[in-house]
Amino acid sequence: MNYHELHFDEIDSTNTYLKNTYKLLGNFTFVSADYQSSGKGRNDRTWTSEKGENLMFSFLIKDEELIKQSPIISLLSAVEVAKVLETYKIKGVSIKWPNDVFIGDKKVCGILAEGQLPNFMVVGVGINVNQKVFPDGLRRPATSVSLELKKDINVNELKEVLFHNIVNSLSNLDINKSLEYFRSHNYLLGKRVKVMFDNQEFIGEVAGVDDSFCLQIKSNSILLHVDSGEIEILK
Ligand code: BTN
């Protein structure tokens, strides 16, 4: 499967770039940047990253069949990020549903999917690679590949392998294989969580991920299948 790559030394946000130019670009166009001046995170948060130390990219999806899978594209992408990190022999890699990648109890990668269905979808991925110091006051503790491995790695090599693996995964759509990986690396499994669902608050224990990648939460005697939302982990 073909893909295209663009790289910027500096840009506002790779997600914003693709959202503004999607009409001119083809399916599987990847845009990466050394620095983003207005990096975006989920839920209107910002995503900050030291210049040149990390991997930040977005890719465009316009393929009609793939767009039909939009609810799970970012989860499949998280699976590919987690898998590639494991090739560096990093221990304790997991996925915090829906699409954060963790090492131990710290976040190493965040993913933001945006777009205008059914026209296009943009998936943005930020991975902490060689950054060693993180700002105070982050919502959750962060880590990086280099902090875990105690050595820097080549950001471009990681990028090329990951682009290739994401394109392969989304072209072949072997959903069962990705689901199996997700289930065996489910950070939230067994944890007590709080979730807002249909404007109601539920507290329960995470029981797994169903065949549609929804998070299953056992709350009293009900098994909820949650397809979106912020999950708060309770102590
Ligand atoms: C999150 O965990 O809140 C999602 C973070 C997503 C960050 C990436 S970095 C590349 C792409 N461009 C952006 O502006 N955001 C995403």
Side-chain angles (χ1 to χ4, degrees), residues 13-15 36 39-42 47 57-58 107 110-111 125-126:
S13 150
T14 54
N15 265 37
Q36 295 187 131
K40 294 164 61 175
R42 288 181 56 188
W47 182 263
F57 67 92
S58 306
K107 177 161 164 169
I111 298 183
V125 180

Side-chain angles (χ1 to χ4, degrees), residues 66 69 72-81 98-99 111 166 169-170 173-175 178-179 182 213:
L66 210 44
Q69 300 288 347
I72 63 165
I73 299 288
S74 61
L75 291 88
L76 297 176
S77 306
V79 165
E80 293 313 311
V81 172
N99 52 30
I111 298 183
I166 287 174
S169 163
L170 298 182
L173 275 185
D174 190 346
I175 292 174
S178 299
L179 198 52
F182 201 113
F213 282 88

